[in-house]
Amino acid sequence: MKSLRHIFGGNTRQFGMIFALVALVLFFQWRTNGKTLTSVNMMNLFNGNSYILILAIGMVLVIIAGHIDLSVGSVAAFVGIVVAIAMRDWGIPWYLGVLLGLVLGALIGAWQGFWVAYIGIPAFIVTLAGMLLFRGANQRVGNSLTVPVPEGFRYLGAGYLPEVGPVTGYNNLTLLIGFALVAFVIYSEIRSRRRLEKINAELPPAWVPVTKVVLLSAVILYATYLFATGRPGTSFPVSGLILGVLVIIYAFISNKTIFGRHIYAVGGNRHAAELSGVKSRRVNFLVMMNMSILAALAGMIFVARSTASGPSDGVGWELDAIAAVFIGGAAVTGGVGTVVGSIIGGLVMAVLNNGLQLLGAGADDTQIIKGLVLLIAVGFDVFNKSQGKPSITGLLTRGFGGGRGARKDDVDTPQPAPTEQAVGTKEVITHDV
């Protein structure tokens, strides 16, 4: 039993959502007669949900900081229509269109962040106003019409990794990415074991890390095989590659940087964080601005995949992103959550939605089931915390590099004032707050 805890990161229950994800995939694979784990379906799943997962990355930071953003769908739609019109009417190249969209997203985020951070209006109210404002702006700018985008821009949301190198029957770039991920898993495990040796910590039996590496590598290689053996002209989606890069960047920011620690500190106890030297206004401003930038990127990816921008883009996206974050283990009160956990929560919703579509379920049944999944997942965590037990979803990523949010979520209790080590400041407040 102790060895199993080592394999699953210290607690065999902490990967509950991963097990739920695997169980959903296997269930739908059985019920759909093998249609779930096919190259075409997996590509469609990533292409069709990458924009929601990108929103979840930004939303988890917003929720960790103790806020919520209801405007992301409208911001994405507004940026999408502006970029589409700019490329059609002004004749700008598609890559400048992408840059224009990101700059516009940053300006919108700065506008909303100013009201939240420096005026003190709750983010719920500011972004509710933003949802109405930018939804109306989308319809006004586009005259409630559909605006097509050029071919080059479509590659951003509907493109695949190109064919390079010798003809092998597989997509070589996809194979290269898969092998690189396996190498990283092996390197990380070796590095972790060496760290334990340096501090003379108790080492698990050799078969434990070997089993862990083999299991993870098998999953990665199987996914690589699916994406590398699709129909001619397809491989791993470009939108999935963008998502993967963002996950790596934001997981590093949230876990390994001073700014990331400040986000957790502000969300956990803003007044204590301020007494410890954290500039909470700056943190809140940057978190809100970052959310709008990612919303702009998500909107452009969606427009690129659908080949046109329309007045109904972005409707309900904020709800899907928020659901992914809470299923992934974030706390409503702030201070708790992880980027990887939110991605897994988003994948649970994506697989559920995809599987129900393959089974021919109606939109009404799909919404009912997704709502129940959200309620049960969050309710189960809240019950565990109220009983003083470890949260399942909150501990989700401790085995994948952990993070402040993963440790703090063990039991949802008030946190002490952050120390110099916790918030990265030069002065330490030693008195109680």
Side-chain angles (χ1 to χ4, degrees), residues 307-326:
T307 71
S309 176
S312 61
D313 294 350
V315 174
W317 289 9
E318 57 278 342
L319 302 181
D320 288 334
I322 292 170
V325 171
F326 285 137

Side-chain angles (χ1 to χ4, degrees), residues 66-81:
H67 306 295
I68 201 159
D69 193 332
L70 300 177
S71 69
V72 293
S74 298
V75 170
F78 175 65
V79 171
I81 195 69

